[in-house]
């Protein structure tokens, strides 16, 4: 007798990933039109529920946390001229993000001042935590995310250039919008990472559409919003350079790209461009080398190595900068050169654009993972950066990407624990595991038992560290032992993912082969 939900005589594997089963059900019922609205409404509901919990620095004077930093930038940008923005009271959350973040703070500050001036009163509003002001701050994150990030994700996965079935498009959109790490950091901890990542998704979308000037503008907006977008810079540079050198050679494209980049950056620096000292101050604030190799426990190589060798004590800061820079370049260069040579030899065609976009997404993932693992002054939240291109590959790398999302969420647990986000952490972690990636329950019957067993062991190891943290007090001599265990374990996993995705990029089909096979299928 055939099992329920599977036609008699069918040789297809039973669909066991609930999110895919949901979209295939809608497709079978002819209800495709409600799929995207339901996804958007559900993602909005999840974000708003998370925002009802704690945030960075809640009730913790005198500096509070990231929430207060973002609010403080709103008050200083609307009350002071731009020439003072990067100098004002640097001991109390001095502005240390690029100009587009400053302009976003200025715009949000104007709206806040229009609604209630007390929310952004210069000096007098420090540490304000009224219900109405928190409601406004939470709303700004949602509005900006749905203005920049959400449309880019929807358009990317609805693009005809991506050769994906309807259900796979909807599932990829769902997974990218409901990625638990981004939801918890932006709407729980409180940041605007989705804006930066949204511009990156726009850049990938424009690359897929062969609109390279718009791609360059979108990427410039990304790193002018947050400097961490430079994790993607080598991949973007080599991709656009390959396009400029593609036969027939296009000097005109190179000129257009140069003008677009200079024009975009120059426009955003316009209030300060007349003063070299102002530009230097922005550079110093945006790249705070004096903070050291890393601050909190972060799941990268340098923090893991520090368990055995105290590099920060052995070497001066500038030696560490050079060491980290050299290690990062060595790590990302192979993937970038591989992509560059492959795209340069590629022929211009619609199928070629799709293949180039696929390779570009792999390179974005490998480059950003290299930066996270080896760069100077990486933060634990920076793992959100490689997760963006990873989720753009979820249709091709279902188990690996879902697994990476789980480990990335685990790596941020110490930060979320301090913010009082225990409940949303566990709900979203369990929800992701159930809807997307329950170990051993993949519909892919070709997955080896070794890989399935390894994912189970990884999950059990993370649960064991959580359990020990909950019931076993750390010894007085090692108060940070669980944070160190978390960072070290996560670092090993991220290094393994880095090797795997590099292998996948290099071992993948040559450009043009996939499309040719599909045309003959």
């Amino acid at each position: 007798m055939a099992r329920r939900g599977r036609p008699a005589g069918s040789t297809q594997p039973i669909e066991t990933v609930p999110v895919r089963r949901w979209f295939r059900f809608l497709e079978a019922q002819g209800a495709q039109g409600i799929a995207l609205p339901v996804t958007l409404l559900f993602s909005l509901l999840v974000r708003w529920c998370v925002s009802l919990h704690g945030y960075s620095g809640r009730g913790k004077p005198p500096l509070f946390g990231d929430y207060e930093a973002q609010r403080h930038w709103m008050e200083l940008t609307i009350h002071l001229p731009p020439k003072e923005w990067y100098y004002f009271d640097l001991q109390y959350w001095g502005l240390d993000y690029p100009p587009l973040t400053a302009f976003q703070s200025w715009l949000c500050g104007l709206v806040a001042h229009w609604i209630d001036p007390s929310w952004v009163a210069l000096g007098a509003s420090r540490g304000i935590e009224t219900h109405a002001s928190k409601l406004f701050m939470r709303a700004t994150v949602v509005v900006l995310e749905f203005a920049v990030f959400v449309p880019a994700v929807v358009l990317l996965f609805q693009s005809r250039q991506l050769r994906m079935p309807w259900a796979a498009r909807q599932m990829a959109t769902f997974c990218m919008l409901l990625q638990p790490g981004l939801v918890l950091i932006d709407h729980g901890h409180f940041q605007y990472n989705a804006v930066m990542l949204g511009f990156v998704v726009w850049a990938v979308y424009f690359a897929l559409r062969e609109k390279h000037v718009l791609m360059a503008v979108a990427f410039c907006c990304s790193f002018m919003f947050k400097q961490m977008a430079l994790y993607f810079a080598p991949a973007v540079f080599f991709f656009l350079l390959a396009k400029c050198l593609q036969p027939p050679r296009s000097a005109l494209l190179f000129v257009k790209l140069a003008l677009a980049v200079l024009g975009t950056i120059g426009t955003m620096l316009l209030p300060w461009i007349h003063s070299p000292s102002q530009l230097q101050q922005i550079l110093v604030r945006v790249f705070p080398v004096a903070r050291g190799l890393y601050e909190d426990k972060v799941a990268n190589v340098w923090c893991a190595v520090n368990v055995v060798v105290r590099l920060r004590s052995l070497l001066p800061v500038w030696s560490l900068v050079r060491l980290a820079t050299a290690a990062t370049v060595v790590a990302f260069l192979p993937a970038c050169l591989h992509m560059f040579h492959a795209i340069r030899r590629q022929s211009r065609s619609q199928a070629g654009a799709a293949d180039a976009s696929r390779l570009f997404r792999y390179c974005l993932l490998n480059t950003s993972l290299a930066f996270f693992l080896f760069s100077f002054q990486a933060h634990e939240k920076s793992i959100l950066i490689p997760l963006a291109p990873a989720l753009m590959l979820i249709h091709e790398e279902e188990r690996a990407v879902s697994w990476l999302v789980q480990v990335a969420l685990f790596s941020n647990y110490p930060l979320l624990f301090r913010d009082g986000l225990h409940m949303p952490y566990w709900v979203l972690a369990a929800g992701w595991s159930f809807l997307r990636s329950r170990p051993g329950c993949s519909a892919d019957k070709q997955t080896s038992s070794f890989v399935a067993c390894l994912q189970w062991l990884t999950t059990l190891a993370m649960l064991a560290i959580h359990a020990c943290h909950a019931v076993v007090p750390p010894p007085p001599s090692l108060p940070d032992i669980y944070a160190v265990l978390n960072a070290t374990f996560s670092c090993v996993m991220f290094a393994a993912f880095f090797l795997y995705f590099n292998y996948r990029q290099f071992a993948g089909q040559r450009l043009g082969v996939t499309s040719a096979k599909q045309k003959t299928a």
Side-chain angles (χ1 to χ4, degrees):
M1 180 180 292
R3 293 180 62 180
R4 184 179 180 183
R6 181 164 125 178
S10 172
T11 59
Q12 295 297 319
I14 300 173
E15 185 55 73
T16 55
V17 178
V19 66
R20 190 191 292 115
R21 189 163 65 232
W22 159 247
F23 288 115
R24 288 190 175 175
F25 168 77
L26 292 181
E27 189 176 23
Q29 299 300 314
Q32 293 96 325
I34 71 169
L36 183 59
V38 169
T39 294
L40 295 178
L41 288 173
F42 183 62
S43 65
L44 178 61
L45 175 64
V46 170
R47 283 159 168 75
W48 202 250
C49 288
V50 169
S51 72
L52 299 176
H53 293 79
Y55 52 84
S56 174
R58 182 177 65 172
K60 296 179 180 178
L63 290 179
F64 301 94
D66 281 359
Y67 172 92
E68 171 63 11
Q70 301 287 347
R71 190 212 59 80
H72 174 62
W73 296 343
M74 294 179 190
E75 66 171 316
L76 76 87
T77 51
I78 65 169
H79 288 292
L80 299 174
K83 66 180 182 180
E84 297 183 34
W85 288 358
Y86 288 91
Y87 287 94
F88 182 74
D89 200 356
L90 301 183
Q91 299 304 312
Y92 185 81
W93 295 117
L95 184 57
D96 58 3
Y97 280 137
L100 191 53
T101 287
F103 296 143
Q104 170 253 311
S105 299
W106 172 79
L107 180 60
C108 292
L110 287 180
V111 176
H113 188 267
W114 177 70
I115 299 173
D116 188 339
S118 68
W119 297 347
V120 285
L122 189 62
S125 61
R126 289 191 177 184
I128 185 171
E129 293 181 316
T130 64
H131 176 75
S133 66
K134 289 190 287 186
L135 180 64
F136 170 78
M137 292 294 291
R138 292 297 199 185
T140 62
V141 182
V142 174
V143 170
L144 287 170
E145 183 170 7
F146 272 73
V148 180
F149 180 74
V150 173
V153 172
V154 171
L155 285 175
L156 175 66
F157 288 118
Q158 300 306 315
S159 175
R160 293 181 179 180
Q161 284 80 5
L162 284 182
R163 299 182 292 273
M164 296 167 61
W166 179 86
R169 294 175 186 274
Q170 303 304 318
M171 185 188 68
T173 303
F174 179 93
C175 291
M176 195 153 188
L177 294 183
L178 271 298
Q179 191 258 100
L182 182 62
V183 174
L184 285 167
I185 294 298
D186 275 21
H187 301 274
H189 176 82
F190 199 92
Q191 283 196 335
Y192 296 94
N193 293 293
V195 178
M196 171 193 68
L197 297 175
F199 284 123
V200 173
V201 179
W202 277 113
V204 174
Y205 172 72
F206 289 132
L208 186 63
R209 298 292 302 274
E210 292 279 277
K211 298 182 182 296
H212 300 119
V213 174
L214 290 176
M215 174 191 172
V217 171
F219 181 70
C220 287
C221 289
S222 181
F223 78 77
M224 291 300 283
F225 188 85
K226 280 196 173 185
Q227 61 269 37
M228 286 78 75
L230 290 173
Y231 283 24
F232 299 124
V236 174
F237 170 79
F238 280 102
F239 179 87
L240 291 175
L241 182 61
K243 287 294 181 180
C244 290
L245 297 176
Q246 225 178 27
R249 295 175 183 270
S250 179
L252 180 60
L253 176 59
F254 182 84
V255 173
K256 288 180 178 179
L257 290 172
L259 291 176
V261 170
L262 293 175
T264 304
I265 297 175
T267 300
M268 295 182 190
L269 290 174
L270 203 57
W272 306 276
I273 206 164
H274 64 282
S275 172
S277 61
Q278 291 274 342
L279 294 175
Q280 182 180 8
Q281 178 66 5
I282 293 174
L283 192 64
V284 169
R285 294 298 301 158
V286 168
F287 297 103
V289 174
R291 291 183 183 178
L293 188 59
Y294 61 88
E295 292 181 84
D296 289 336
K297 304 298 185 294
V298 55
N300 73 350
V301 169
W302 307 123
C303 188
V305 168
N306 191 69
V307 175
V308 180
V309 181
R310 305 286 181 176
L311 289 175
R312 294 189 294 180
S313 302
L314 295 175
L315 298 173
V317 169
W318 283 107
S319 295
L320 292 174
V321 170
R322 296 186 188 97
L323 175 63
T325 302
T328 305
V329 171
V330 169
F332 74 67
L333 202 54
C336 289
L337 292 177
H338 171 262
M339 178 192 65
F340 171 76
H341 289 298
I343 293 177
R344 186 181 176 186
R345 295 192 301 267
Q346 176 200 18
S347 61
R348 294 178 183 271
S349 66
Q350 185 174 357
D355 290 330
S357 172
R358 172 182 174 274
L359 187 55
F360 178 47
R361 282 173 277 151
Y362 270 105
C363 191
L364 286 173
L365 171 55
N366 289 322
T367 301
S368 54
L369 269 176
F371 270 84
F372 179 80
L373 286 169
F374 296 103
S375 67
F376 189 90
Q377 192 51 226
H379 292 269
E380 65 271 50
K381 301 180 289 292
S382 298
I383 192 57
L384 296 177
I385 300 173
L387 284 184
L391 284 159
M392 287 187 255
L393 290 164
I394 195 166
H395 178 56
E396 301 187 42
E397 301 283 357
E398 290 192 43
R399 180 180 286 271
V401 170
S402 299
W403 192 354
L404 174 61
V405 169
Q406 289 177 314
V407 177
L409 179 60
F410 170 77
S411 73
N412 274 284
Y413 179 75
L415 173 72
L416 300 171
F417 176 80
R418 292 197 301 268
D419 294 340
L421 293 165
H422 315 73
M423 183 180 294
Y425 170 87
W426 283 109
V427 170
L428 291 186
W432 177 269
S433 296
F434 173 75
L435 291 174
R436 175 57 267 165
S437 61
R438 290 176 295 166
C441 295
S442 173
D444 181 10
K445 298 296 184 180
Q446 296 179 348
T447 301
S448 70
S449 58
F450 172 77
V451 173
C453 181
L454 193 59
Q455 188 174 7
W456 268 112
L457 290 175
T458 301
T459 303
L460 291 175
M462 293 188 291
L463 290 173
I465 293 174
H466 278 315
C468 291
H469 180 257
V471 300
V472 181
S477 59
L478 298 170
D480 297 327
I481 186 170
Y482 293 121
V484 172
L485 277 175
N486 183 303
T488 305
F489 173 83
S490 301
C491 176
V492 171
M493 291 302 302
F494 292 144
F497 283 119
F498 175 68
L499 294 175
Y500 169 78
F501 285 117
N502 268 275
Y503 164 77
R504 288 289 293 160
Q505 176 179 331
F506 280 83
Q509 290 175 309
R510 295 176 60 186
L511 292 178
V513 174
T514 303
S515 57
K517 287 184 176 180
Q518 289 185 344
K519 287 179 180 179
T520 58

